[in-house]
């Protein structure tokens, strides 16, 4: 149900209320704020991601692997297989948990890594693109510009 979280938060508040640990008032205040924020989301129709802990852990491990191996030619099919979902189910659950599609998430991570490489190395743009899994330099530049608004060369020049 949409309001099952209330019981858990109230139980956590009760434990803090009767404890004598340092910071109990601060934690109680935070729990009250959390309760009201989540109630507000429920009332306004904003749903909480409802993913079981095992699935959440699998997604977290997959996402960590993706971000640690940005040069790997990831596909949604491969990602879905790694967590044991169909592609459509994987896409839906991933979007629920992380707020965007798996490929958008991967592209943003690659572009963030490219921005760091542009700032902290003197590697040519083509080498950076290749190290992040791009086999087509034009495609990399187009994605970089689509996210940052400027070309990689201009980004390097403007931010050094």
């Amino acid at each position: 149900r949409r309001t099952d979280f209330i019981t858990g938060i109230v139980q956590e508040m009760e434990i803090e209320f009767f404890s004598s640990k340092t910071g109990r008032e601060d934690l109680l205040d935070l729990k009250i704020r959390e309760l009201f924020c989540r109630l507000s989301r429920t009332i306004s129709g904003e749903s909480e991601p409802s993913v079981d802990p095992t699935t959440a852990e699998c997604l977290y491990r997959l996402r960590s692997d993706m971000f640690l191996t940005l040069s790997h030619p990831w596909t949604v099919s491969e990602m879905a297989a790694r967590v044991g979902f169909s592609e459509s189910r994987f896409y839906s659950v991933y979007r629920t948990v992380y707020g965007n599609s798996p490929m958008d998430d991967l592209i943003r991570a690659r572009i963030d890594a490219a921005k760091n490489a542009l700032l902290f190395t003197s590697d040519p743009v083509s080498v950076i693109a290749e190290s992040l899994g791009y086999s087509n330099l034009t495609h990399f530049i187009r994605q970089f510009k689509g996210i940052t608004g400027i070309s990689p060369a201009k980004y390097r020049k403007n931010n050094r």
Side-chain angles (χ1 to χ4, degrees), residues 19-158:
S19 81
S20 57
K21 294 179 183 175
T22 305
R24 88 184 223 326
E25 292 88 6
D26 292 334
L27 284 174
L28 279 170
D29 183 53
L30 290 171
K31 285 294 170 187
I32 290 169
R33 289 173 186 247
E34 178 184 3
L35 178 63
F36 283 118
C37 286
R38 293 184 68 183
L39 282 170
S40 175
R41 288 179 179 176
T42 300
I43 291 167
S44 68
E46 296 178 38
S47 62
E48 293 284 321
S50 57
V51 175
D52 67 89
T54 303
T55 299
E57 178 62 28
C58 287
L59 287 174
Y60 175 78
R61 279 196 312 269
L62 170 67
R63 191 174 194 232
S64 294
D65 288 348
M66 287 166 43
F67 290 0
L68 289 171
T69 57
L70 294 171
S71 63
H72 181 77
W74 292 99
T75 64
V76 172
S77 177
E78 177 186 359
M79 294 176 208
R82 287 183 100 187
V83 294
F85 285 165
S86 68
E87 287 183 40
S88 60
R89 175 78 177 132
F90 168 72
Y91 184 90
S92 173
V93 171
Y94 193 98
R95 192 173 197 79
T96 297
V97 172
Y98 295 112
N100 56 8
S101 76
M103 291 312 288
D104 284 347
D105 208 17
L106 179 61
I107 290 166
R108 288 197 177 280
R110 285 177 171 162
I111 298 305
D112 286 344
K115 291 191 305 191
N116 284 328
L118 289 165
L119 295 179
F120 301 111
T121 73
S122 57
D123 293 343
V125 172
S126 60
V127 170
I128 293 170
E130 189 176 321
S131 75
L132 295 171
Y134 289 92
S135 57
N136 182 317
L137 180 60
T138 304
H139 180 65
F140 166 73
I141 293 170
R142 195 174 312 125
Q143 282 190 338
F144 189 95
K145 192 170 183 178
I147 289 174
T148 65
I150 57 176
S151 71
K154 192 164 189 170
Y155 181 87
R156 175 178 268 166
K157 182 181 173 196
N158 291 350

